[in-house]
Amino acid sequence: MNDSGRGADMPPGFSDDFRDALDRLFVWRRDVRHFRTDPVDPAMLDRLLATACLAPSVGLSEPWRFVRVEAPARRAAVRADFARCNADALAARTGAEAARYAALKLAGLDRAPHHVAVFCDADPAQGRGLGRRTMPQTTTWSAVMAIHTFWLAATAAGLGVGWVSILDPARVAAILEAEPGWNFLAYLCVGHPETPADSPELERQGWERRNPARRAWIMR
């Protein structure tokens, strides 16, 4: 028996207080765009990675590949790619919407102390292909689950994560010298948020609103 009196293989009991705290964690997990520049304890970053690896994966394939981007030259190259892609995105909009888009701060690349690129090994040997024959994209979904787990763990630790998606995947893969077969999924800014918030910034800035219809079951 363990110290709680439960058998070693018994699942834990989760209290109402824990469930309430978990709901608050989901609410406070936000896409952070404004960071302090002070670094995070390396041991904390290691713990976040270890927690991310508790995510489910198809066939226990663990296809995620987390890459710490530390070299200033690589960071600068990613920042330049973002600038190019963001300029293209702005040029595709016109009138008032273009002005609103230009006013958004869409990246924390300049201030976030830590940059993490996440790739997916699309066809890893680990897992021996279990569950992927008819739906090979499940490796990608598994890696996204690991990203979300990392994000929740960071939020619980008082940290912020921002997902930069305005990037060219092929160029980022080249900048970071990704292994063959690795597909770029996410570029994450990680650090202490300047001002934590419990609502999406895009909602606060009037870009978009949550849709109540997405909170209802679709019945078939």
PDB file of all heavy atoms in Angstrom, residues 107-122:
ATOM      1  N   ALA A 107       3.365  38.112 -32.325  1.00  0.00           N
ATOM      2  CA  ALA A 107       4.468  37.233 -31.930  1.00  0.00           C
ATOM      3  C   ALA A 107       5.157  37.771 -30.693  1.00  0.00           C
ATOM      4  O   ALA A 107       5.209  38.976 -30.465  1.00  0.00           O
ATOM      5  CB  ALA A 107       5.482  37.093 -33.068  1.00  0.00           C
ATOM      6  N   GLY A 108       5.695  36.864 -29.909  1.00  0.00           N
ATOM      7  CA  GLY A 108       6.511  37.257 -28.768  1.00  0.00           C
ATOM      8  C   GLY A 108       7.972  36.991 -29.044  1.00  0.00           C
ATOM      9  O   GLY A 108       8.775  36.870 -28.117  1.00  0.00           O
ATOM     10  N   LEU A 109       8.329  36.900 -30.323  1.00  0.00           N
ATOM     11  CA  LEU A 109       9.679  36.481 -30.702  1.00  0.00           C
ATOM     12  C   LEU A 109      10.760  37.409 -30.187  1.00  0.00           C
ATOM     13  O   LEU A 109      11.882  36.975 -29.939  1.00  0.00           O
ATOM     14  CB  LEU A 109       9.777  36.394 -32.235  1.00  0.00           C
ATOM     15  CG  LEU A 109       8.950  35.293 -32.902  1.00  0.00           C
ATOM     16  CD1 LEU A 109       8.926  35.503 -34.407  1.00  0.00           C
ATOM     17  CD2 LEU A 109       9.502  33.924 -32.558  1.00  0.00           C
ATOM     18  N   ASP A 110      10.452  38.682 -30.030  1.00  0.00           N
ATOM     19  CA  ASP A 110      11.486  39.642 -29.667  1.00  0.00           C
ATOM     20  C   ASP A 110      11.826  39.639 -28.176  1.00  0.00           C
ATOM     21  O   ASP A 110      12.933  40.011 -27.800  1.00  0.00           O
ATOM     22  CB  ASP A 110      11.060  41.056 -30.075  1.00  0.00           C
ATOM     23  CG  ASP A 110      10.923  41.200 -31.580  1.00  0.00           C
ATOM     24  OD1 ASP A 110      11.671  40.520 -32.306  1.00  0.00           O
ATOM     25  OD2 ASP A 110      10.057  41.973 -32.020  1.00  0.00           O
ATOM     26  N   ARG A 111      10.881  39.220 -27.324  1.00  0.00           N
ATOM     27  CA  ARG A 111      11.099  39.328 -25.881  1.00  0.00           C
ATOM     28  C   ARG A 111      11.102  37.987 -25.152  1.00  0.00           C
ATOM     29  O   ARG A 111      11.723  37.885 -24.092  1.00  0.00           O
ATOM     30  CB  ARG A 111      10.041  40.235 -25.263  1.00  0.00           C
ATOM     31  CG  ARG A 111      10.208  41.712 -25.617  1.00  0.00           C
ATOM     32  CD  ARG A 111       9.148  42.584 -24.962  1.00  0.00           C
ATOM     33  NE  ARG A 111       9.120  42.461 -23.503  1.00  0.00           N
ATOM     34  CZ  ARG A 111       9.933  43.128 -22.678  1.00  0.00           C
ATOM     35  NH1 ARG A 111      10.838  43.953 -23.175  1.00  0.00           N
ATOM     36  NH2 ARG A 111       9.832  42.980 -21.379  1.00  0.00           N
ATOM     37  N   ALA A 112      10.424  37.013 -25.668  1.00  0.00           N
ATOM     38  CA  ALA A 112      10.362  35.726 -24.954  1.00  0.00           C
ATOM     39  C   ALA A 112      11.770  35.155 -24.781  1.00  0.00           C
ATOM     40  O   ALA A 112      12.528  35.058 -25.750  1.00  0.00           O
ATOM     41  CB  ALA A 112       9.491  34.741 -25.718  1.00  0.00           C
ATOM     42  N   PRO A 113      12.138  34.757 -23.567  1.00  0.00           N
ATOM     43  CA  PRO A 113      13.503  34.277 -23.349  1.00  0.00           C
ATOM     44  C   PRO A 113      13.786  32.911 -23.959  1.00  0.00           C
ATOM     45  O   PRO A 113      14.940  32.568 -24.201  1.00  0.00           O
ATOM     46  CB  PRO A 113      13.623  34.234 -21.823  1.00  0.00           C
ATOM     47  CG  PRO A 113      12.217  34.066 -21.341  1.00  0.00           C
ATOM     48  CD  PRO A 113      11.359  34.819 -22.307  1.00  0.00           C
ATOM     49  N   HIS A 114      12.729  32.137 -24.214  1.00  0.00           N
ATOM     50  CA  HIS A 114      12.936  30.784 -24.724  1.00  0.00           C
ATOM     51  C   HIS A 114      12.076  30.538 -25.959  1.00  0.00           C
ATOM     52  O   HIS A 114      10.905  30.925 -25.993  1.00  0.00           O
ATOM     53  CB  HIS A 114      12.605  29.747 -23.643  1.00  0.00           C
ATOM     54  CG  HIS A 114      13.371  29.964 -22.374  1.00  0.00           C
ATOM     55  ND1 HIS A 114      14.716  29.698 -22.253  1.00  0.00           N
ATOM     56  CD2 HIS A 114      12.973  30.478 -21.176  1.00  0.00           C
ATOM     57  CE1 HIS A 114      15.120  30.014 -21.028  1.00  0.00           C
ATOM     58  NE2 HIS A 114      14.086  30.498 -20.363  1.00  0.00           N
ATOM     59  N   HIS A 115      12.696  29.918 -26.949  1.00  0.00           N
ATOM     60  CA  HIS A 115      12.008  29.531 -28.173  1.00  0.00           C
ATOM     61  C   HIS A 115      12.076  28.013 -28.297  1.00  0.00           C
ATOM     62  O   HIS A 115      13.148  27.420 -28.151  1.00  0.00           O
ATOM     63  CB  HIS A 115      12.664  30.161 -29.403  1.00  0.00           C
ATOM     64  CG  HIS A 115      12.559  31.650 -29.473  1.00  0.00           C
ATOM     65  ND1 HIS A 115      12.941  32.375 -30.583  1.00  0.00           N
ATOM     66  CD2 HIS A 115      12.110  32.575 -28.574  1.00  0.00           C
ATOM     67  CE1 HIS A 115      12.725  33.660 -30.379  1.00  0.00           C
ATOM     68  NE2 HIS A 115      12.231  33.803 -29.163  1.00  0.00           N
ATOM     69  N   VAL A 116      10.938  27.402 -28.571  1.00  0.00           N
ATOM     70  CA  VAL A 116      10.855  25.940 -28.697  1.00  0.00           C
ATOM     71  C   VAL A 116      10.139  25.618 -29.995  1.00  0.00           C
ATOM     72  O   VAL A 116       8.979  25.997 -30.193  1.00  0.00           O
ATOM     73  CB  VAL A 116      10.094  25.314 -27.506  1.00  0.00           C
ATOM     74  CG1 VAL A 116       9.954  23.807 -27.698  1.00  0.00           C
ATOM     75  CG2 VAL A 116      10.804  25.622 -26.186  1.00  0.00           C
ATOM     76  N   ALA A 117      10.814  24.931 -30.877  1.00  0.00           N
ATOM     77  CA  ALA A 117      10.190  24.450 -32.108  1.00  0.00           C
ATOM     78  C   ALA A 117       9.764  23.005 -31.891  1.00  0.00           C
ATOM     79  O   ALA A 117      10.496  22.220 -31.278  1.00  0.00           O
ATOM     80  CB  ALA A 117      11.158  24.545 -33.283  1.00  0.00           C
ATOM     81  N   VAL A 118       8.590  22.669 -32.386  1.00  0.00           N
ATOM     82  CA  VAL A 118       8.083  21.308 -32.226  1.00  0.00           C
ATOM     83  C   VAL A 118       7.858  20.696 -33.610  1.00  0.00           C
ATOM     84  O   VAL A 118       7.172  21.289 -34.454  1.00  0.00           O
ATOM     85  CB  VAL A 118       6.775  21.267 -31.420  1.00  0.00           C
ATOM     86  CG1 VAL A 118       6.378  19.817 -31.147  1.00  0.00           C
ATOM     87  CG2 VAL A 118       6.928  22.036 -30.103  1.00  0.00           C
ATOM     88  N   PHE A 119       8.450  19.549 -33.798  1.00  0.00           N
ATOM     89  CA  PHE A 119       8.314  18.799 -35.032  1.00  0.00           C
ATOM     90  C   PHE A 119       7.609  17.476 -34.747  1.00  0.00           C
ATOM     91  O   PHE A 119       7.547  17.020 -33.598  1.00  0.00           O
ATOM     92  CB  PHE A 119       9.686  18.498 -35.644  1.00  0.00           C
ATOM     93  CG  PHE A 119      10.430  19.712 -36.119  1.00  0.00           C
ATOM     94  CD1 PHE A 119      11.183  20.478 -35.238  1.00  0.00           C
ATOM     95  CD2 PHE A 119      10.402  20.082 -37.455  1.00  0.00           C
ATOM     96  CE1 PHE A 119      11.878  21.591 -35.666  1.00  0.00           C
ATOM     97  CE2 PHE A 119      11.100  21.200 -37.900  1.00  0.00           C
ATOM     98  CZ  PHE A 119      11.829  21.953 -37.003  1.00  0.00           C
ATOM     99  N   CYS A 120       7.118  16.860 -35.808  1.00  0.00           N
ATOM    100  CA  CYS A 120       6.553  15.517 -35.711  1.00  0.00           C
ATOM    101  C   CYS A 120       7.322  14.601 -36.645  1.00  0.00           C
ATOM    102  O   CYS A 120       7.484  14.911 -37.836  1.00  0.00           O
ATOM    103  CB  CYS A 120       5.073  15.538 -36.098  1.00  0.00           C
ATOM    104  SG  CYS A 120       4.324  13.890 -36.169  1.00  0.00           S
ATOM    105  N   ASP A 121       7.812  13.502 -36.115  1.00  0.00           N
ATOM    106  CA  ASP A 121       8.374  12.437 -36.954  1.00  0.00           C
ATOM    107  C   ASP A 121       7.185  11.688 -37.543  1.00  0.00           C
ATOM    108  O   ASP A 121       6.503  10.944 -36.840  1.00  0.00           O
ATOM    109  CB  ASP A 121       9.253  11.515 -36.120  1.00  0.00           C
ATOM    110  CG  ASP A 121       9.991  10.479 -36.965  1.00  0.00           C
ATOM    111  OD1 ASP A 121       9.590  10.263 -38.119  1.00  0.00           O
ATOM    112  OD2 ASP A 121      10.954   9.881 -36.454  1.00  0.00           O
ATOM    113  N   ALA A 122       6.903  11.923 -38.798  1.00  0.00           N
ATOM    114  CA  ALA A 122       5.663  11.443 -39.405  1.00  0.00           C
ATOM    115  C   ALA A 122       5.556   9.916 -39.449  1.00  0.00           C
ATOM    116  O   ALA A 122       4.459   9.366 -39.420  1.00  0.00           O
ATOM    117  CB  ALA A 122       5.522  12.014 -40.816  1.00  0.00           C
TER     118      ALA A 122
END
